Amino acid sequence: MNELDRYPHLAPIETPADLRRVPDDELPAVADELRQYLIESVASSGGHFGAGLGVVELTVALHHVFDTPNDRLVWDVGHQCYPHKILTGRRDRITTIKQKDGLAPFPSRAESPYDTFGVGHSSTSISAALGMAIANQRKGDPRKVVAVIGDGAMTAGMAFEALNHGGDVEPDMLVVFNDNGMSISENVGALTKMMARAMASHTLNAWRERAKRAIPKQSLMGRFFKRWEEHAKGMFVPSTLFEELGFHYTGPIDGHNIPQLLAALRTVKELPGPQLLHVITTKGKGYAPAEQAQIEYHAVGPFDPQSGLVKKSAPGKPTYTDIFSDWLCDMAAADERLLGITPAMREGSGLVRFSKAYPERYFDVAIAEQHAVTLAAGMACEGAKPVVAIYSTFLQRAYDQAIHDVALQNLDVTFAIDRAGVVGPDGATHSGSFDLSFLRCLPNMVIMAPGDENECRMMLSTGFHYAGPAAVRYPRGSGPGTAIRKTLDTLPIGKAELRRRGRGIALLSFGAMLSPATTIAAEIDATLVNMRFVKPLDEAMILDLAKSHDAFVTLEDNAIAGGAGSGVAECLAAHGIVKPILHIGLPDVYLEHGSREEVLSMAGLDLPGIRRAIHARFPQLAAMAASAG
């Protein structure tokens, strides 16, 4: 915990109201102390880091100029919100962020009135702020609404949908465009190249504003000036796009210069209609290691703030992401038709090595999940074999494309779905709780869930060679430690694996639940089946077990509603078989943040929780089996 006596300017600031009483000339000192407090806090606990360092001055200026929380401040994504949380009454709890019962990793409406909109995925801020502005305008409420969006988040189509609408309805709102050239990785795409041409042309801006005030807007000269201004300004800065969308463009300005920020914010605050303020910042600003290694310092574990060295843990088992990364390169070497696609998640999804080894076959489409999936569909139409590497929570954003553009047309696209099931520290917004439910209902889709590391590799090969849409969903972190064969073997589609023959209860395990299921099955002398395939189910295995067992238990790290267990129940019902069945999976709630182990325990998916559920539902069967054993 930081000692506040070392922060004489920051210590008195409990809320933004305190900050607004600070004279302008003292705000740079506040920003300096806020940055140092952030560095020491994240060093002790870990968390998102570089993005917050880059918006320290901007955060201070916004809360100083605007009357938050009465004025609405809407952040995009939320990686950059640690300074905001520190200034809004949560300073003393910032080291609990992402921990069980600690601060939420992203803005949360339930946590603070200053978090006006819950967020975790990118590119939602302009839409949300526009909705607030329209609602307030209809009530005659004069409060201000500000959206803060980065250039990485601006690559998503939703941001431009909101700009297009906002420029049409013309509400009083401000979009602060935070341009730092980064998302998690370097930004990609034509929009990024346009923004790279940005330069501060203070003379042109000043002349333009004087001319606007002097020339009547609706006069012939005013209309001529407007058209000339758009073309002339476009030669200097990338304003034309935003101006054509109906947003009055100001900037770019130095996002680390507090006097400039204050002057610009105070000006645009009083201007009517939709405004866009373009600020240039540096991700990791003020901490040399984070400035020099912006990708590595996007999010960190605990580290030494003096040296910048992250505290390394002992080498462990390969993660499922590592397994995918190795498989992708191996399969690419074996089949030149393979193309790899990621929506701006190169590091997180394990495509770094592939991007270097096969740069001409690697496609980072920026934060554009919908485009990623339909791009893959188009590639498949022409005989390519695209692999879309995507987090479970981000695939939700491309669900329509998965249905209409891939599954409906039965196109040969492989989905490598990382972070499926319980994720942990990043909380409800990043939980992969629903992919089995929303994919299982799609015709033509093959869905697999590996129980161990080697099975994951085999399933990826199986999905790749299947001539249609296939998904392999695997959890965050490592597996049970099964040896991995370096071959590219496949599995017979729709065939489960009988792991243990018991009696009484048939325990059907899907995916990552295989390890605790193995222990439980031995304890109660249950039959254990590693189902492997969620779709198509091994119905022959299920029907055979129904003849010799009294009850079924299904285990999965997906929502029970509509999940893999529901498929088992549907199979039995379709054949007129009535058996007691217990579904164990994720409950019908949004799971809060904590370690993966803590969240599994909260959900009842750890070993004690599974044991309790089975004994509560089938006390006699479990007791008889244990006694016989």
Side-chain angles (χ1 to χ4, degrees), residues 339 341 372-381 384-389 401-402 405-407 410-416 444-446 463-464 466-472:
L339 303 176
I341 302 170
V373 173
T374 304
L375 174 72
M379 290 173 171
C381 286
K385 299 274 287 183
V387 177
V388 180
Q401 287 68 31
D405 300 338
V406 176
N410 200 25
L411 290 172
D412 190 358
V413 175
T414 302
F415 294 94
N444 298 328
M445 183 72 71
V446 169
F464 182 78
Y466 173 69
V472 182

Side-chain angles (χ1 to χ4, degrees), residues 5 24 45 113 155 198 200 208 227 231 235 278 292 329 407 423 460 483 506 539 579 622:
D5 57 1
D24 287 5
S45 61
T155 61
R208 180 183 71 154
R227 180 57 59 88
H231 291 285
M235 297 189 308
H278 186 176
Q292 295 161 9
C329 290
V423 174
L460 288 164
E539 293 195 358
K579 290 280 183 181

Side-chain angles (χ1 to χ4, degrees), residues 302-322:
F303 65 95
D304 180 350
Q306 300 303 316
S307 67
L309 296 176
V310 176
K311 299 171 184 176
K312 299 288 186 181
S313 56
K317 297 176 290 187
T319 66
Y320 281 101
T321 305
D322 295 333

Side-chain angles (χ1 to χ4, degrees), residues 28 62 156 163 171 207 269 290 343 388 586:
L62 285 168
L163 288 171
W207 181 87
K269 180 181 178 182
V388 180
L586 298 178

Side-chain angles (χ1 to χ4, degrees), residues 186-338:
E186 301 90 346
N187 282 332
V188 297
L191 181 65
T192 296
K193 294 176 182 177
M194 182 185 77
M195 293 306 165
R197 296 194 296 268
M199 63 186 72
S201 181
H202 302 292
T203 301
L204 180 61
N205 276 329
W207 181 87
R208 180 183 71 154
E209 294 308 318
R210 286 196 298 270
K212 278 187 173 182
R213 289 191 293 269
I215 302 173
K217 185 176 180 180
Q218 298 303 322
S219 68
L220 178 64
M221 180 62 73
R223 292 194 298 272
F224 170 79
F225 172 76
K226 174 65 175 176
R227 180 57 59 88
W228 177 89
E229 172 203 19
E230 291 173 355
H231 291 285
K233 188 74 183 287
M235 297 189 308
F236 294 92
V237 291
S239 65
T240 305
L241 173 64
F242 299 116
E243 296 270 4
E244 290 287 356
L245 287 170
F247 279 72
H248 176 266
Y249 175 94
T250 301
I253 66 169
D254 182 356
H256 300 297
N257 185 311
I258 285 184
Q260 280 190 30
L261 284 169
L262 294 176
L265 288 171
R266 285 167 176 155
T267 297
V268 296
K269 180 181 178 182
E270 301 306 321
L271 295 176
Q275 307 292 320
L276 188 140
L277 174 62
H278 186 176
V279 301
I280 306 296
T281 63
T282 300
K283 191 171 183 178
K285 177 70 174 178
Y287 187 63
E291 289 190 40
Q292 295 161 9
Q294 294 180 336
I295 296 173
E296 291 80 357
Y297 279 86
H298 170 75
V300 294
F303 65 95
D304 180 350
Q306 300 303 316
S307 67
L309 296 176
V310 176
K311 299 171 184 176
K312 299 288 186 181
S313 56
K317 297 176 290 187
T319 66
Y320 281 101
T321 305
D322 295 333
I323 293 160
F324 167 73
S325 177
D326 292 341
W327 171 84
L328 188 67
C329 290
D330 293 345
M331 186 58 80
D335 193 329
E336 64 181 10
R337 296 174 298 167
L338 184 151

